[in-house]
Amino acid sequence: EVWLVQSGGGSGQAGGSLSVSCALSGIIVASGCMGWFRQAPGKEREGVASIDFYNQKNYARFVEGRFSIVKDNAENTLTLVMNSLKPEDSGLYFCGASHHWDCPSVPKYDYTYESQGIQVTVSS
């Protein structure tokens, strides 16, 4: 059975930093395409960042240069480091995992396995 358990998130100020992490169980973080996506109230899901088996990273244009996706093979975790936060970054953040070796060049928002979601709120 696969579990993706999140931690982190919370509230922050515009211009500040937050991070969200995902501990994986039942699937190895280095084994395929892993990533983060988010959903704001009343909006569609959108892919944020992804990293694949080859350690190729892809970012959505709206976070490029501000967010970083980090894979820790020893701890089997996936982390999204969010800098220079904006109020529009607020929403529920999810991590996802799949067995595909590579990821699409535009981060996706549907994965085989998904976490429960964790809230990130950025105030101006």
Side-chain angles (χ1 to χ4, degrees):
E1 192 171 9
V2 175
W3 291 93
L4 305 177
V5 180
Q6 289 182 258
S7 60
S11 299
Q13 297 282 330
S17 300
L18 287 171
S19 65
V20 285
S21 291
C22 195
L24 284 71
S25 174
I27 187 169
I28 298 173
V29 72
S31 65
C33 175
M34 312 285 162
W36 292 91
F37 58 97
R38 69 188 188 188
Q39 187 168 24
K43 293 191 174 181
E44 302 278 328
R45 286 183 168 192
E46 53 186 9
V48 175
S50 64
I51 183 168
D52 67 15
F53 174 83
Y54 305 100
N55 292 322
Q56 172 69 44
K57 300 178 183 180
N58 295 304
Y59 295 95
R61 284 188 181 181
F62 49 81
V63 302
E64 199 148 19
R66 301 188 297 123
F67 289 13
S68 294
I69 187 168
V70 181
K71 181 170 65 175
D72 188 327
N73 294 339
E75 297 294 325
N76 208 38
T77 59
L78 189 70
T79 298
L80 184 69
V81 179
M82 303 178 285
N83 298 315
S84 302
L85 284 165
K86 302 177 181 180
E88 52 264 42
D89 292 322
S90 299
L92 272 177
Y93 281 71
F94 303 82
C95 62
S98 72
H99 296 293
H100 296 288
W101 283 20
D102 56 359
C103 300
S105 57
V106 176
K108 60 181 184 176
Y109 51 83
D110 55 334
Y111 290 83
T112 306
Y113 309 103
E114 300 177 354
S115 63
Q116 76 280 11
I118 197 164
Q119 182 67 39
V120 169
T121 303
V122 183
S123 55
S124 56

